[in-house]
Amino acid sequence: MLKKTYSVLLYLFAFWGSYFHSMKVEAIQYEPFMTSDEMRQTVFEYIEVDYNRTRRHRALGYLSPVNFEQKNVA
């Protein structure tokens, strides 16, 4: 049981490490922030506008939400 839990933790750490690296490179790096509110807004926009709309979802047949809507509305 402990070995399985450890394996899951390693997977989660790898996932979140990759996610935060992508966010840093794509959204935050080289941006001059003046306030914490600007930082929050930039992170929110990255997650809600860029990441969630382009990420492939298992529940949508491994399509991004935009591609899923285009495929099923047309």
Side-chain angles (χ1 to χ4, degrees):
M1 183 69 174
L2 184 60
K3 188 174 183 179
K4 185 175 182 180
T5 303
Y6 182 72
S7 298
V8 170
L9 286 175
L10 288 178
Y11 173 78
L12 290 173
F13 289 145
F15 170 79
W16 285 112
S18 174
Y19 173 78
F20 283 114
H21 173 75
S22 297
M23 182 172 62
K24 178 182 174 187
V25 170
E26 295 174 10
I28 298 173
Q29 195 171 18
Y30 306 120
E31 290 290 328
F33 293 104
M34 298 299 187
T35 65
S36 61
D37 289 335
E38 289 177 347
M39 174 68 101
R40 281 190 197 99
Q41 184 64 32
T42 300
V43 170
F44 174 81
E45 288 175 4
Y46 173 76
I47 293 170
E48 293 299 324
V49 177
D50 296 329
Y51 182 74
N52 279 343
R53 292 185 184 176
T54 59
R55 181 177 69 93
R56 294 176 296 177
H57 295 264
R58 181 177 61 170
L60 302 178
Y62 293 98
L63 295 171
S64 70
V66 172
N67 291 340
F68 180 79
E69 287 180 5
Q70 289 174 350
K71 180 179 176 183
N72 291 313
V73 171

